[in-house]
Amino acid sequence: MPPGELARLYDTHAPALWGFLLNFTRDPADSRDALQEVFLRLSRRPNLLDGVADERAFLLRLAHNLAVDLIRRQSARRQAHAAFGASRLGLFVPAPDPDQAAAQGEIEAALGDLPPEQRAVVQLKLWEGLTFQALAEVLGIPPNTAASRYRYALDKLRARLRPLYAEWRQPGGGSHGS
Amino acid sequence: MDPNRLPPAPEPSPDEVERLLLRQSLQAPPPEWRDDILRHACQTRSSAPPPPALPGLAACWRACLNASWSPLVAVWLLIFALNHVSLRTADAPNPLPPLSPAALAELRRLQGDSSGPAFVVAPPPPTRESPPPPATRPRAHRLRPGLPASPDPNLTV
């Protein structure tokens, strides 16, 4: 691998990988470890991406597998970490407006209530824009399973974020719709 | 106002939920991590040992142990060991059973009938330790059985 290739891969894909890992694991330390492990693998096996058509999808799949391994190994630590579920995760860019910041906290908490598999589907569908077929390949599941997980996740998010919507729809209420 | 009489909150459509989520921008990893992660990855690459050009005997053995046909290897080793043990047992001399007294008498009779000894039958090995020989009587007792024994023959009258 050329010297600058690893830096190019980082600059191109690290933000998406970080967002996916943080939303999936809900643990910044685990996400940092998994992100570093992704680039360690790329460094150890320079031809890992040879013949790969979609770098982003391949790296997301690698990150997902690493995160699953991390979660399995550190289940005890994660149970202890769940006690701090109320604290902000820092998944989104902090909003300057207090109302928007509160809405971000609600959305983060709502995402945190989803099972990790549904969180991963939502993340890849919304923020990565993958099709169900593509995200099914990333996660190693059938496309129908991906679609149903996405539907269940949206139903839960809709129920959880209903007060936010009510405030949002009021005329002149809140600044979320701006 | 009775809160129970408030109209229910409007049900958002999936598109609204998606729009609300997409309104949030994901945060990038801290910028100071970039150099740290890349440096660590490059150091690991330079310190990683090169892969062996040819698999050695140990690698083959590990591959055998890890392969799905490792049970076959174990069975083969077991058969080899059992075969080795059985061969050693077959090579050992098999002792003949001892002859019965009737057979010995018949052999002696046949030996006596022939002009010369065709063969000599060895007596069966003693199964028990032979009794000790009787103690010899003192010479004085053998010469004069009626007299009391005397340690010095010159003192006898």
Side-chain angles (χ1 to χ4, degrees), chain A residues 106-130:
Chain A
E106 286 292 322
I107 294 172
E108 273 193 9
L111 285 170
D113 286 345
L114 297 177
E117 300 83 12
Q118 294 182 8
R119 267 203 311 270
V121 170
V122 169
Q123 171 88 24
L124 296 177
K125 184 78 175 74
L126 289 181
W127 282 284
E128 291 302 319
L130 298 184

Side-chain angles (χ1 to χ4, degrees), chain A residues 1 6-7 10-11 15 18 32 35-36 39-40 43-44 90-94 104 107 123 126-127 150 154 157-158 161-162 164-165 168-169 176-178, chain B residues 9-31 33-38 40-46 48:
Chain A
M1 183 177 289
L6 203 62
Y10 186 94
D11 294 336
W18 168 252
R32 168 75 155 79
L35 183 66
Q36 179 156 319
F39 288 93
L40 278 178
S43 177
R44 285 177 189 149
L91 182 62
F92 304 119
V93 176
Q104 281 184 343
I107 294 172
Q123 171 88 24
L126 289 181
W127 282 284
Y150 183 71
L154 280 191
L157 291 173
R158 188 180 304 122
L161 300 175
R162 183 174 296 161
L164 206 62
Y165 267 91
W168 189 23
R169 283 193 169 186
H176 312 301
S178 59
Chain B
E11 187 74 16
S13 66
D15 288 343
E16 287 176 326
V17 176
E18 292 173 338
R19 279 203 301 270
L20 176 66
L21 293 171
L22 282 174
R23 209 174 291 275
Q24 317 303 323
S25 300
L26 292 175
Q27 188 152 228
W33 288 6
R34 180 184 184 277
D35 293 339
D36 189 26
I37 288 177
L38 291 178
H40 189 65
C42 292
Q43 285 175 353
T44 304
R45 175 178 51 187
S46 60

Side-chain angles (χ1 to χ4, degrees), chain B residues 80-117:
Chain B
F80 178 78
L82 289 176
N83 190 31
H84 185 66
V85 169
S86 64
L87 282 177
R88 290 189 59 155
T89 306
D91 289 343
N94 190 13
L96 293 173
L99 293 176
S100 64
L104 280 175
E106 182 65 18
L107 283 174
R108 285 198 181 97
R109 188 183 63 76
L110 290 173
Q111 188 179 7
D113 290 346
S114 63
S115 57

